[in-house]
Amino acid sequence: MQPQRKEFNQFRQRRVSTRRESRRQLVIRNNLEKRFYRTLNSLFRKFLNVQLYRYSEFGIFEEVIAEQDLNEDFMPLVLSHYTRTFKVIYKFNEDKYMMDRKADEAFVFGRSVDFEAVVAQYFNGRQLILSGITSRMANRISKLIEQGRADNLTLPQIAKLVSDKFLPIARSRAALIARTETHSAASFANHAYHETLKIDTGLKMQKKWVATNDARTRSAHSQANGQVVDMDEDFNIGGVPMGFAGDSKGGAKNVINCRCVIVYADERDME
């Protein structure tokens, strides 16, 4: 059943502080990212240890099978992280809109959402990208083994070579994946939440691009800082349309390692 439309003014936040809102979002995302990084790094180390044990003992490494083995653990781990991220973002917004409300104005927004369907929709759209990650990691191990064979190393020597060279790569890849996937999932969840808010309340929602302006920020993202558009419109990020930070429409050049956030508000409340 479609939830009844709320009174238009009930969810007004008054003037929204862009700086405060973006800072709160970044704290949440950084905490989620750190947790995911630790889990990913542990998974990649375990994967490598299993593959190198098999190779040092039996001289066998099959790239396709290795990729399948990694996928069996990696995909459920990512789905679990997406689910946790969506729940945290939805709760963050629930708490924000409940703030300073009277008891008879209680607003439990998540009840009107098929939460699992939203997460599944997002995960299904990311699976091709995620499978490419595991494929490249298995291929990297295969190339290192070929290098060891070409140098006439023994099986244990090849295993050590792979371990020494792959572990730093795995740590770096875990950090990149944790940052990118956490940011993209959180941005998608925040956008989905406010899309439903707009529909259920009739609010005239707007969104504002907020960049983390430091030496690591892309020039196109710095230039987009402060850009405000209506909820259903795209931002113009260096000539590329994006619905929100982390939107896959922006391509890898605008998504990987991005730290920008989007602030949503009724048009009368936007700073």
Side-chain angles (χ1 to χ4, degrees), residues 101-144:
R101 305 297 179 195
K102 297 177 182 178
D104 60 354
E105 293 179 338
F107 175 48
V108 186
F109 188 70
R111 289 178 186 167
S112 64
V113 175
D114 186 348
F115 184 80
E116 296 301 327
V118 176
V119 176
Q121 174 193 356
Y122 181 75
F123 179 67
N124 291 338
R126 298 293 294 174
Q127 285 198 68
L128 183 61
I129 294 172
L130 297 173
S131 63
I133 291 171
T134 57
S135 174
R136 287 190 293 273
M137 295 188 79
N139 180 256
R140 180 60 178 166
I141 293 175
S142 180
K143 287 184 175 179
L144 287 170

Side-chain angles (χ1 to χ4, degrees), residues 38-205:
R38 291 193 297 268
T39 308
L40 276 177
N41 194 39
S42 176
L43 171 63
F44 291 159
R45 291 180 69 92
K46 176 185 174 184
F47 164 71
L48 180 64
N49 289 338
V50 169
Q51 300 304 319
L52 292 186
Y53 171 77
R54 291 175 182 169
Y55 186 77
S56 60
E57 290 292 317
F58 310 108
I60 297 173
F61 178 80
E62 297 183 34
E63 185 177 328
V64 174
I65 294 177
E67 179 187 347
Q68 291 173 350
D69 289 345
L70 182 55
N71 267 328
E72 287 179 3
D73 292 326
F74 180 65
M75 292 298 188
L77 183 67
V78 175
L79 177 58
S80 175
H81 178 64
Y82 287 163
T83 302
R84 179 181 296 108
T85 299
F86 273 56
K87 286 181 178 178
V88 169
I89 296 301
Y90 270 56
K91 185 179 186 304
F92 167 75
N93 284 309
E94 296 281 295
D95 293 343
K96 179 173 63 177
Y97 292 116
M98 283 286 289
M99 231 178 256
D100 301 325
R101 305 297 179 195
K102 297 177 182 178
D104 60 354
E105 293 179 338
F107 175 48
V108 186
F109 188 70
R111 289 178 186 167
S112 64
V113 175
D114 186 348
F115 184 80
E116 296 301 327
V118 176
V119 176
Q121 174 193 356
Y122 181 75
F123 179 67
N124 291 338
R126 298 293 294 174
Q127 285 198 68
L128 183 61
I129 294 172
L130 297 173
S131 63
I133 291 171
T134 57
S135 174
R136 287 190 293 273
M137 295 188 79
N139 180 256
R140 180 60 178 166
I141 293 175
S142 180
K143 287 184 175 179
L144 287 170
I145 288 174
E146 290 174 5
Q147 177 185 330
R149 286 173 174 166
D151 293 338
N152 293 317
L153 301 181
T154 64
L155 294 184
Q157 287 174 332
I158 292 175
K160 185 177 186 309
L161 169 72
V162 174
S163 180
D164 289 346
K165 293 198 172 184
F166 185 80
L167 281 177
I169 295 172
R171 284 194 294 270
S172 176
R173 185 57 54 87
L176 184 147
I177 295 169
R179 184 176 304 113
T180 300
E181 295 304 318
T182 299
H183 177 83
S184 296
S187 295
F188 182 93
N190 204 24
H191 191 78
Y193 183 98
H194 285 92
E195 277 189 325
T196 309
L197 175 62
K198 170 180 173 289
I199 292 170
D200 283 1
T201 63
L203 287 170
K204 175 66 173 176
M205 298 290 292

Side-chain angles (χ1 to χ4, degrees), residues 175-243:
L176 184 147
I177 295 169
R179 184 176 304 113
T180 300
E181 295 304 318
T182 299
H183 177 83
S184 296
S187 295
F188 182 93
N190 204 24
H191 191 78
Y193 183 98
H194 285 92
E195 277 189 325
T196 309
L197 175 62
K198 170 180 173 289
I199 292 170
D200 283 1
T201 63
L203 287 170
K204 175 66 173 176
M205 298 290 292
Q206 290 186 327
K207 53 191 180 183
K208 184 175 186 177
W209 188 284
V210 183
T212 302
N213 283 322
D214 58 26
R216 293 187 293 154
T217 303
R218 296 166 172 86
S219 59
H221 292 199
S222 293
Q223 292 167 8
N225 186 47
Q227 190 178 141
V228 177
V229 298
D230 288 341
M231 184 71 189
D232 297 328
E233 296 179 356
D234 285 332
F235 295 101
N236 183 341
I237 310 301
V240 179
M242 294 180 69

